[in-house]
Amino acid sequence: MSTLTGTPVTGDTGAPASRRPLLTGVTWLVWRQHRAAYLTVLGAGVLLVAWTVFQRDRMLDFLTGYGWPANGVETLGPKFEPYAAAFQPVSTALGLIPVVLGVFVGAPLLAGDLEHGTAKLVAAQTVSRTRWLATKLGLTALVITVSTVAPSIAFGWWWEPLKQEATVLDWTSGAAFDTTGPVAAALTLFTVVGGVAIGVVLRRTLAAMVVAFGFAVAVQLAWNWLRLELGDVVTVTTDKGVLAEGSFPTLPDAAHQLDQWYLTGSGELLGWSTCVDEETEQARELCLRQADVIGWSVDYLPISQMAGMQWLGAAILLALTAAVTAFLFLWARKRLV
């Protein structure tokens, strides 16, 4: 009889190796406390990206079947309308993200802890208020950035082939400008951090959500006014009269016209409605000649400025976000509990 012997394997007890948890300490606590909101936001972002990719493939299949880009979109007529209309609900959803997250994520983030006494419990632990606040804001900002940047990139990818088609989306509108590039994430971060600050000051969740809604709407209104102010206005003038066919200046494709004027020989600008009340064409021509009108002066923004305007606007929004964040940390040192 023989006996089998071997070298024992050390350190292998057959039990599965323990894994280090992905989140620990305060980070785990914050995730655990807000995981429902975080997972909802991330899930909505994933669904929005999936729907956008589906719509883009559907649109390109249709356009390819009709010989696009050799045959322009304008030749398709009503056949393309369902594909153009598909942009609107997605852009509307993207446009609502700053308001929704500002009210339902930003406002209750700290207001709930202050209202229910959770903040006092946290302050009684070894973790500092600054670290607790930094973790709350940092993890929330990370979730928001991921869930807004991904749909924004997907939407821009969908719209890119038709970017020059103003009939699909006007690039200066919120539906296009605010939903592509860096603006979506910057606008959402500012609204959410503003909601957090409102919650910290009011210390009541419901009141904070109501005020945060008003704040988010005000931000949207102010942003709508600021959007076009971010560009450098281009002016084109002509001196071939204003009544002849083809006298109006030709603008670049997808250019956004801001205003148009009559230009006189002395360089003065007159409103385009000058002499419009004259009863006959001859009387109007005489009126314009007496006013010394020699051509048009048109102000516009070319689409080539879009990316620069978006980054400038995003920089302004991120600077405001940083200022509100600094206020939150200063407030936290004395009055967060």
Side-chain angles (χ1 to χ4, degrees), residues 20-43:
R20 183 182 177 85
L22 184 61
L23 300 177
T24 58
V26 183
T27 307
W28 176 86
L29 178 63
V30 172
W31 173 264
R32 184 79 175 173
Q33 186 182 13
H34 301 288
R35 65 186 183 284
Y38 291 159
L39 290 175
T40 301
V41 172
L42 290 171

Side-chain angles (χ1 to χ4, degrees), residues 62-312:
F62 171 80
L63 290 175
T64 303
Y66 277 87
W68 177 85
N71 298 323
V73 173
E74 67 279 1
T75 63
L76 301 177
K79 296 177 182 177
F80 187 69
E81 288 181 0
Y83 300 93
F87 282 95
Q88 195 59 46
V90 179
S91 64
T92 300
L94 288 169
L96 289 175
I97 285 178
V99 178
V100 173
L101 296 189
V103 173
F104 292 100
V105 175
L109 189 71
L110 290 175
D113 293 343
L114 294 169
E115 184 176 7
H116 301 299
T118 308
K120 291 184 178 179
L121 178 63
V122 173
Q125 310 304 311
T126 56
V127 177
S128 67
R129 298 175 186 179
T130 301
R131 184 183 172 190
W132 176 54
L133 178 60
T135 306
K136 279 235 176 192
L137 293 179
L139 195 55
T140 302
L142 177 62
V143 171
I144 288 173
T145 301
V146 171
S147 58
T148 53
V149 167
S152 176
I153 292 175
F155 189 78
W157 182 54
W158 178 19
W159 178 51
E160 181 66 30
L162 302 176
K163 204 170 181 178
Q164 302 290 333
E165 300 288 343
T167 55
V168 177
L169 280 180
D170 177 7
W171 68 271
T172 60
S173 68
F177 193 91
D178 299 350
T179 56
T180 59
V183 175
L187 197 57
T188 306
L189 284 172
F190 177 57
T191 307
V192 169
V193 173
V196 175
I198 291 170
V200 167
V201 173
L202 296 181
R203 306 172 75 91
R204 292 291 183 272
T205 303
L206 183 58
M209 293 174 71
V210 173
V211 177
F213 176 76
F215 169 73
V217 172
V219 169
Q220 292 287 334
L221 293 176
W223 178 253
N224 287 337
W225 172 82
L226 176 65
R227 190 184 301 123
L228 294 182
E229 301 297 323
L230 299 172
D232 294 327
V233 178
V234 178
T235 301
V236 58
T237 58
T238 62
D239 58 358
K240 300 178 181 177
V242 295
L243 297 180
E245 185 177 355
S247 60
F248 194 82
T250 302
L251 304 184
D253 292 340
H256 179 76
Q257 182 178 322
L258 297 171
D259 211 340
Q260 63 183 54
W261 309 82
Y262 285 150
L263 179 66
T264 68
S266 62
E268 185 182 0
L269 299 179
L270 303 177
W272 61 268
S273 60
T274 301
C275 302
V276 74
D277 293 332
E278 299 296 334
E279 295 182 355
T280 64
E281 193 69 16
Q282 290 78 10
R284 186 184 177 199
E285 184 174 357
L286 177 61
C287 176
L288 291 172
R289 191 179 303 119
Q290 291 174 341
D292 194 24
V293 172
I294 62 170
W296 290 100
S297 176
V298 179
D299 295 339
Y300 71 93
L301 291 173
I303 194 174
S304 58
Q305 292 191 18
M306 181 179 181
M309 292 168 64
Q310 285 181 315
W311 281 106
L312 176 59

